[in-house]
Amino acid sequence: MNEQSLAGQAAFAPANTADIADAMIVSAGLRIDVDRRRGRAAGLNPSGRFEPLRRETFDDGWQNLEDLPPFKTEVQIEKPRTAITRNESPDIPFDRSINPYRGCEHGCIYCFARPTHAYMGLSAGLDFEAKLFAKPDAAKLLERELAKPGYKPRVIAIGTNTDPYQPIEKEWRIMRQILEVLEKANHPVSVVTKSAMILRDLDILSAMAERNLVRVSLSVTTLERKLARTMEPRASTPTRRLEAIRVLSDAGVQTSVMAAPMIPALNDHELERILDSAHAAGAKEAGYVILRLPFEVSPLFRDWLLQNYPERYRHVMSLVRSMRGGKDYDAEFGKRMKGAGPYAWQIARRFEMATKRLGMTRRSMPLRDDLFVPPDGSGVQLSLL
């Protein structure tokens, strides 16, 4: 059995101790040098699961690994045919969404969207954080789709896959262009982000809020700066996210907090503190999601634990598996968001009690869709008579 196989078994099997697993990954050369990935969360960059070949970096004795360049953010242009993505999942309260970007520079180690990079022939590891795709035509495509005869408006969710306000939005401004189209058409939208950059678009959001067309949810995973820096290296600090909640709420925007994901024995003890702080900042609603580890996310998260919290490695993964039927992840509808078992029930009960105490159980008013005015249709290809 080669070193790579041994390292994989050691890292990803809960029966092994963290120090042995970590040593075997290092000796096998699977982990990218810290200087090359500085400011990134993932320590690995495995080949995509659809690739016919697997490539690994190793030192051949010439010490030339030091010559490899660091991982820098690269942005390619993606030209999709449509802007709106449809879904029929019973676990989420919307049937359509928009993703301005593919991949996310925030680099959250737990991100369930990481495996989507495999469809581009790239890794869910460091590639997901550094090799990004922007959709500069998204606003024009959206305008054309909204102008089509028979289009029926319903809330469009943005930020449910990758963050629309990740750092590259500062330059590309695709999210702002999308909001401009939606605001002009009086179309309802729900935004999820963990970036204080959303305040840049407060002028549009507050104008839409006056017509009850927008809802914003800030994701707050932890209030501990060290953990946030390690786990979500390029996202806004927890303090800035809470400040964004305050500013949005003061501007009349329906604002909520997502305590997500809750990771047992790592940040779940902060659940009540997160809800208290968000409520004090003005959040009227709250939600939570249990850690999800689909496909490549599991080994990436395990390796991150080994590097940063080796003393908690076995405890965290044991509790995760206790909520997932003995596996790292269970994708069954109705369970994938909240988990199952005694520990998952305990978190759910704590959330219920805290939100009831804070008065955060009131549901916000549904966003309006009766004000919708289709765009003029310029640029829409006319159908043949």
Side-chain angles (χ1 to χ4, degrees):
M1 185 176 294
N2 59 33
E3 286 186 323
Q4 178 175 319
S5 299
L6 288 171
Q9 287 188 11
F12 313 145
N16 289 279
T17 58
D19 54 345
I20 295 177
D22 188 65
M24 296 188 75
I25 289 179
V26 173
S27 66
L30 299 176
R31 188 174 293 154
I32 305 298
D33 185 80
V34 66
D35 289 332
R36 290 194 63 210
R37 55 184 170 88
R38 189 174 302 280
R40 310 285 181 179
L44 309 175
N45 202 43
S47 300
R49 64 184 182 279
F50 301 126
E51 300 306 295
L53 300 175
R54 179 179 297 275
R55 297 177 176 85
E56 300 290 350
T57 301
F58 71 97
D59 191 339
D60 59 3
W62 293 99
Q63 288 80 44
N64 54 3
L65 289 182
E66 299 177 359
D67 299 330
L68 294 174
F71 280 81
K72 295 183 178 180
T73 301
E74 302 173 4
V75 183
Q76 300 181 52
I77 292 178
E78 182 177 345
K79 291 186 173 294
R81 296 182 179 180
T82 60
I84 300 176
T85 300
R86 309 277 178 163
N87 78 83
E88 299 179 354
S89 171
D91 281 337
I92 48 181
F94 56 85
D95 68 350
R96 62 198 70 180
S97 61
I98 298 176
N99 296 300
Y101 303 100
R102 187 189 296 270
C104 188
E105 196 176 5
H106 281 160
C108 305
I109 190 60
Y110 52 73
C111 183
F112 65 87
R114 283 180 176 272
T116 61
H117 242 44
Y119 296 112
M120 309 302 288
L122 296 171
S123 173
L126 287 164
D127 283 350
F128 179 81
E129 306 176 35
K131 296 184 178 181
L132 313 178
F133 296 83
K135 305 174 185 178
D137 295 335
K140 292 181 180 179
L141 291 172
L142 174 62
E143 189 172 27
R144 292 170 59 180
E145 290 173 57
L146 299 184
K148 288 182 178 179
Y151 175 83
K152 297 185 181 300
R154 294 186 64 179
V155 177
I156 289 179
I158 307 180
T160 57
N161 194 38
T162 57
D163 202 309
Y165 287 104
Q166 58 180 287
I168 60 172
E169 165 65 14
K170 184 178 295 185
E171 174 185 354
W172 289 82
R173 300 174 68 86
I174 299 172
M175 179 59 179
R176 183 172 178 87
Q177 295 169 19
I178 290 173
L179 286 178
E180 290 172 343
V181 171
L182 295 174
E183 195 272 337
K184 185 177 179 180
N186 287 334
H187 195 294
V189 61
S190 175
V191 182
V192 180
T193 183
K194 52 172 57 72
S195 174
M197 194 194 304
I198 191 173
L199 297 181
R200 179 203 63 186
D201 297 333
L202 188 61
D203 57 332
I204 300 177
L205 297 172
S206 58
M208 296 184 76
E210 292 178 356
R211 287 164 278 169
N212 193 26
L213 294 172
V214 64
R215 181 184 300 117
V216 174
S217 181
L218 269 293
S219 174
V220 181
T221 314
T222 177
L223 298 179
E224 298 178 9
R225 289 178 62 92
K226 180 181 178 181
L227 176 58
R229 177 68 172 173
T230 306
M231 188 165 57
E232 310 161 329
R234 301 199 177 194
S236 296
T237 64
T239 302
R240 292 198 64 195
R241 293 183 223 180
L242 292 173
E243 176 64 12
I245 290 176
R246 185 192 66 77
V247 174
L248 288 165
S249 180
D250 289 347
V253 179
Q254 289 189 40
T255 311
S256 62
V257 63
M258 280 294 296
M262 285 290 98
I263 306 172
L266 191 63
N267 73 336
D268 66 318
H269 66 282
E270 295 187 74
L271 177 59
E272 288 81 3
R273 289 180 57 214
I274 291 172
L275 296 176
D276 286 340
S277 299
H279 177 262
K284 299 297 190 295
E285 293 183 72
Y288 80 97
V289 176
I290 295 294
L291 175 68
R292 299 166 59 187
L293 298 176
F295 299 111
E296 297 95 330
V297 184
S298 177
L300 289 169
F301 180 76
R302 285 175 175 272
D303 179 69
W304 176 85
L305 274 178
L306 288 172
Q307 294 182 75
N308 296 281
Y309 296 93
E311 73 285 356
R312 304 190 198 184
Y313 173 77
R314 296 189 64 185
H315 188 38
V316 170
M317 292 311 303
S318 175
L319 290 174
V320 167
R321 293 169 71 90
S322 76
M323 296 188 289
R324 301 296 187 184
K327 301 177 290 184
D328 283 5
Y329 183 56
D330 183 358
E332 182 180 344
F333 289 139
K335 294 183 179 180
R336 59 178 182 161
M337 299 294 188
K338 305 299 184 184
Y343 203 89
W345 177 89
Q346 181 188 73
I347 293 178
R349 181 60 177 152
R350 288 170 52 200
F351 176 82
E352 179 185 352
M353 294 174 63
T355 52
K356 183 177 181 179
R357 169 175 56 83
L358 296 169
M360 300 178 77
T361 55
R362 179 181 64 82
R363 300 298 299 175
S364 60
M365 292 185 298
L367 299 181
R368 298 186 65 174
D369 57 16
D370 59 322
L371 302 177
F372 176 65
V373 179
D376 60 17
S378 61
V380 178
Q381 183 175 350
L382 297 178
S383 59
L384 295 177
L385 298 179

